[in-house]
Amino acid sequence: MIVVAGEALIDLVVTADGQRAVPGGSPANVAVTLARLDQPTRLLARIGTDEYGRQLTEHLSANRVDLAWAVRAEQPTSVAVATLNAAGQASYEFRLAGAADWQWTPQELPDLTGTPATALHTGSLALALAPGAQVLEDLLARERKRDAITISIDLNLRPSIVTDRAAEQARVRRQVSLAHLVKASDEDLAWLHPDRSVADVMAEWREAGVSCAVVTRGGDGAWLLAPDGSLHEQPAVRTTVVDTVGAGDSFTGGLLAALADLDALGDRTADRLAAVTEPQWNAVLRQAATVAALTCARRGADPPRRTEVETLLHPTP
């Protein structure tokens, strides 16, 4: 079972035709992607009891995301206003003040000891916004020390919300050292480290104890730095882009699902990831890119099912 921790919010998607409210939030999107790829997935989230919260609960449950550890919160649901340009690319404005997602207390987090969890994934605003970010970071620190599950982080930075670059550099440096797998976009790194190359940042993460570093590059594909120091490159899977909402999250879900299928998640994570072969890393990247491409080909954060992915990866002659 893969545990995903973080925000589940509502995207108000604004287009020339008006606006619509759809479930979103980077961690929640990753959880839905994993569940659609037939991975047992449990979401650790604080979900409001308002109408938006009920919409989120229905969406997650309908996609077979386990909500046994979700907290029903009195605070309102977070809202992200996503405006799409002519190319389908989204820009975001967030309404987060006093919202449910950021109010974690230590008592609300489960003890993962003795559970079937093989991985803990988190990231985005959940690891950036007080007071809950520190609570989740403490959870990562405990689990890294226990070395019983894989820890995965997707930076998914939001400079429009958290604007202090120096503070973000320090936070990311601290949290990355707790992870086995770190994923970021080239846009994340261009803002976080404008004077450094992507290769330099990935190498620093490896020195900090990260086994696998992944950087997505939009239409230019993705890079993966494997535990043995080899760099793997995956071109973007070509598709007709409707919009890019949820594309990065679905890439992350596809990546984790592929590693789960290889039994590369779980205790002694560094050893498990080191055992993944070069052809397997290439296949992992190819699946992640395919999942992202299928998501881009339709409206909103609507990741594909496993059968759709298998059809593209292994077409029948």
Side-chain angles (χ1 to χ4, degrees), residues 96-214:
L96 310 176
D101 300 274
W102 332 114
Q103 313 303 322
W104 286 106
T105 64
Q107 295 75 23
E108 291 174 330
L109 298 182
D111 182 358
L112 299 182
T113 306
T115 71
T118 57
L120 171 63
H121 172 79
T122 186
S124 194
L125 289 169
L127 282 183
L129 296 183
Q134 186 60 56
V135 177
L136 291 180
E137 185 176 326
D138 290 344
L139 174 64
L140 296 182
R142 289 196 302 273
E143 291 305 319
R144 180 66 191 241
K145 184 176 181 180
R146 194 165 68 93
D147 195 25
I149 62 174
T150 302
I151 298 173
S152 165
I153 291 177
D154 181 0
L155 298 193
N156 203 14
L157 302 179
R158 301 296 186 185
S160 63
I161 299 171
V162 186
T163 58
D164 187 335
R165 182 183 281 113
E168 282 292 87
Q169 288 172 343
R171 173 185 72 84
V172 168
R173 188 178 303 112
R174 190 176 64 247
Q175 293 174 349
V176 159
S177 70
L178 303 175
H180 301 99
L181 188 156
V182 176
K183 177 245 176 186
S185 70
D186 54 355
E187 292 180 348
D188 288 333
L189 299 188
W191 181 83
L192 189 66
H193 298 294
D195 56 343
R196 299 177 61 187
S197 70
V198 170
D200 181 39
V201 176
M202 294 173 81
E204 179 186 282
W205 290 350
R206 187 163 178 263
E207 291 174 3
V210 173
S211 293
C212 176
V214 182

Side-chain angles (χ1 to χ4, degrees), residues 201-275:
V201 176
M202 294 173 81
E204 179 186 282
W205 290 350
R206 187 163 178 263
E207 291 174 3
V210 173
S211 293
C212 176
V214 182
V215 175
T216 56
R217 304 162 58 229
D220 292 325
W223 287 330
L224 183 149
L225 185 63
D228 65 358
S230 61
L231 185 66
H232 300 257
E233 184 171 0
Q234 169 64 45
V237 174
R238 298 303 170 188
T239 188
T240 300
V241 175
V242 174
D243 66 49
T244 62
V245 177
D249 305 327
S250 61
F251 182 99
T252 302
L255 185 81
L256 290 171
L259 289 172
D261 288 338
L262 293 173
D263 197 27
L265 306 179
D267 62 345
R268 299 175 294 102
T269 296
D271 293 338
R272 289 177 184 266
L273 292 175

Side-chain angles (χ1 to χ4, degrees), residues 4-12 22-33 43 45 56 59-60 77-80 92 94 96 101-102 121 123-126 154 156 158 245-246 248-250 301:
V4 180
E7 65 264 28
L9 51 77
I10 287 293
D11 285 332
L12 283 180
V22 296
S26 175
N29 290 340
V30 172
V32 169
T33 303
L43 181 64
L56 285 166
H59 169 71
L60 293 163
T77 300
S78 302
V79 175
Y92 291 89
F94 293 87
L96 310 176
D101 300 274
W102 332 114
H121 172 79
S124 194
L125 289 169
D154 181 0
N156 203 14
R158 301 296 186 185
V245 177
D249 305 327
S250 61

